[in-house]
Amino acid sequence: MRSKIAMVIVLGLMVFSKDVFARDIQRDSTATEEVQATLKKSWFESIQLRGYAQLRYNRLLETNPDLSCDQCDKSWGDNGGFFFRRIRLVFYGQIHERVYFYIQPDFASGGGNFAQIRDAYFDLGLDQKQEFRLRIGQSKVPFGFENLQSSQNRTPLDRNDGLNSAVANERDIGVMFYYAPSVIRKRFSYLVSSGLKGSGDYGVFGFGLYNGQTANQPDKNNSLHVVSRLTYPFELPSGQIFETSFQGYTGKFVINRNPQTDFDQTEFKEYRYGPSFILYPQPFGIQAEFNWGRGPEYDPETNTVNDAPLEGGYVLASYFLKKGKDIFIPFTRYHYYKGGKKHELDATKHRVKEMEIGMEWQPHKNFELVAMYTISDRTFENSLNPNNRQKGSLLRLQAQINF
């Protein structure tokens, strides 16, 4: 009898233990899932990498080897051969719900294939939707659509002199404030990802303070530049999108000048303002920008640098044609500039009239080939070369890899 009672007790304990053990397994499993669900992404899961490289050749059908544009392309002109115009890697990511970072080095800077920082900034979202942002670091100055447009997306090989002379390399160090509603931020993103050659998201309204001496240059005075831009991409019921903008900046710039010209004055006040209009190629597109202002400019008659008026801009027409998987974008652009280039020696005097006719071919998203015929009339004069007007034409080629 006792043995039967003992057997029942043992069996009862076994059943009870089994039930408890099963519940413990379930509890442990649930706890593990809860822990795993709360684990945050590792830093390397938040960082992404992309980039592109451009190889150029500018000597075909060249009529004047003395015709060049140092700011445009250092391989343009005499002794130019195959040339890496850009080799860029972009490290970027949303490392916090309100913090985005972007670092872009270029491994083909200055024509010597050495590395140099192009962008290094982070965006701090000021609200949950990140419609209000602060951009802190070295980034593009919001002045001009084509200046903000990535060289990876732009159709002509180089930016126009008229607006690009405002900010060499388009960048500087400072703090920018940007605002755009969420729906417009998505539209800005679509205009790039769709292949319509958008400029990217620099807000509907932008305002910023920056050093003013251009990218990778230390500040040379105690005066900051101020810039502001207002833009809006309108979408018609047909789906056609056009964008209008107005921008301006002001500040004091310290030039690099020959001591023989009057080394006592190196700081000049400057300002610029102007509109932009972009009709995105769906399939026909037109792009036009112009700006006016004042700034330093070399005077060959007096061998000095004066405060002088400046003006310049361009008109670009293009057509987006898709044949199967291939994309063809024929384009033509005329651009004009009259003024000094503050970042060149003695604020070099420039007079530019240039016509370009070209075609971009994209057989797939990872490769692009551009052929562009350029007819140019350029005057660029400073104390080392006070009588220099060059005319000519040439066929320019660029192969681009996107990854």
Side-chain angles (χ1 to χ4, degrees):
M1 184 67 181
R2 291 179 178 177
S3 61
K4 290 182 178 181
I5 293 174
M7 181 66 70
V8 170
I9 292 173
V10 169
L11 290 173
L13 288 172
M14 290 177 66
V15 171
F16 176 77
S17 299
K18 182 178 180 182
D19 182 61
V20 170
F21 183 65
R23 288 202 304 270
D24 285 345
I25 289 177
Q26 181 64 32
R27 187 182 66 200
D28 288 345
S29 176
T30 303
T32 301
E33 290 173 0
E34 290 174 353
V35 170
Q36 289 177 344
T38 59
L39 284 177
K40 296 182 179 180
K41 287 184 178 181
S42 300
W43 64 268
F44 54 83
E45 295 179 286
S46 301
I47 296 177
Q48 301 182 64
L49 171 66
R50 61 178 176 83
Y52 68 101
Q54 297 173 339
L55 181 70
R56 291 188 181 177
Y57 188 74
N58 295 313
R59 306 307 302 275
L60 294 176
L61 306 180
E62 184 180 49
T63 63
N64 181 3
D66 293 326
L67 175 67
S68 64
C69 177
D70 187 68
Q71 180 182 347
C72 308
D73 184 342
K74 294 185 184 300
S75 71
W76 180 359
D78 199 22
N79 296 320
F82 287 109
F83 179 85
F84 275 117
R85 180 65 177 88
R86 294 173 179 88
I87 305 175
R88 297 190 177 178
L89 300 177
V90 181
F91 302 88
Y92 65 102
Q94 194 78 37
I95 55 177
H96 181 271
E97 62 180 2
R98 294 197 182 184
V99 180
Y100 172 86
F101 89 98
Y102 187 100
I103 297 177
Q104 179 180 216
D106 186 358
F107 295 91
S109 297
N113 294 343
F114 63 87
Q116 189 178 70
I117 289 294
R118 279 291 175 259
D119 297 279
Y121 64 81
F122 64 88
D123 283 355
L124 177 63
L126 302 180
D127 64 309
Q128 187 174 6
K129 293 183 178 181
Q130 298 191 65
E131 294 181 336
F132 298 86
R133 295 170 289 148
L134 285 179
R135 177 162 294 179
I136 304 171
Q138 180 165 294
S139 65
K140 288 185 175 179
V141 175
F143 183 81
F145 177 88
E146 196 178 74
N147 282 347
L148 295 175
Q149 192 179 33
S150 171
S151 297
Q152 185 177 17
N153 297 327
R154 189 183 63 252
T155 309
L157 295 187
D158 300 307
R159 292 180 173 90
N160 72 98
D161 292 73
L163 279 82
N164 196 231
S165 54
V167 190
N169 294 317
E170 306 83 53
R171 297 165 171 86
D172 211 320
I173 298 179
V175 178
M176 306 293 173
F177 167 80
Y178 293 118
Y179 162 72
S182 298
V183 63
I184 301 303
R185 295 199 67 188
K186 292 179 181 178
R187 190 172 300 169
F188 282 137
S189 178
Y190 166 76
L191 290 170
V192 174
S193 62
S194 63
L196 293 178
K197 308 293 185 179
S199 67
D201 183 359
Y202 293 88
V204 167
F205 173 74
F207 177 84
L209 301 173
Y210 60 103
N211 284 344
Q213 290 297 136
T214 70
N216 301 314
Q217 299 293 328
D219 192 22
K220 295 183 179 180
N221 55 26
N222 296 318
S223 176
L224 296 175
H225 274 54
V226 180
V227 64
S228 187
R229 180 174 184 256
L230 183 65
T231 189
Y232 198 88
F234 297 89
E235 184 172 8
L236 301 178
S238 63
Q240 178 71 56
I241 300 175
F242 70 93
E243 184 173 347
T244 58
S245 316
F246 194 85
Q247 53 262 312
Y249 76 86
T250 185
K252 295 180 180 179
F253 188 87
V254 178
I255 68 170
N256 177 26
R257 68 185 299 174
N258 188 331
Q260 297 177 357
T261 61
D262 182 9
F263 201 61
D264 291 335
Q265 184 181 9
T266 58
E267 183 179 86
F268 289 82
K269 185 176 180 179
E270 60 158 340
Y271 67 86
R272 295 194 186 205
Y273 60 91
S276 305
F277 174 81
I278 297 87
L279 177 69
Y280 287 93
Q282 300 170 285
F284 174 75
I286 189 165
Q287 192 172 308
E289 299 188 85
F290 207 86
N291 73 153
W292 300 266
R294 294 190 71 91
E297 179 185 327
Y298 177 74
D299 183 351
E301 294 184 2
T302 60
N303 192 34
T304 190
V305 180
N306 300 320
D307 172 71
L310 58 85
E311 62 180 20
Y314 71 94
V315 176
L316 166 72
S318 63
Y319 193 87
F320 190 95
L321 178 63
K322 191 168 184 179
K323 292 288 187 180
K325 295 183 178 180
D326 293 75
I327 295 174
F328 299 90
I329 307 177
F331 65 91
T332 183
R333 182 179 70 174
Y334 175 80
H335 62 110
Y336 157 84
Y337 180 57
K338 178 184 178 182
K341 287 195 177 181
K342 60 189 179 183
H343 47 272
E344 296 182 2
L345 178 67
D346 297 327
T348 301
K349 171 185 175 180
H350 280 261
R351 301 291 185 266
V352 178
K353 295 179 181 178
E354 195 163 88
M355 172 67 76
E356 299 155 327
I357 304 170
M359 170 79 78
E360 178 180 307
W361 170 49
Q362 301 176 27
H364 48 75
K365 66 179 182 178
N366 297 108
F367 179 77
E368 299 175 14
L369 181 65
V370 176
M372 187 175 80
Y373 188 71
T374 300
I375 305 168
S376 186
D377 180 354
R378 288 179 172 268
T379 296
F380 40 110
E381 299 173 335
N382 54 39
S383 60
L384 300 182
N385 197 355
N387 184 19
N388 184 35
R389 181 180 181 182
Q390 304 295 336
K391 298 181 181 181
S393 58
L394 66 159
L395 178 63
R396 308 176 64 195
L397 302 176
Q398 174 181 281
Q400 175 174 301
I401 298 295
N402 306 306
F403 57 89

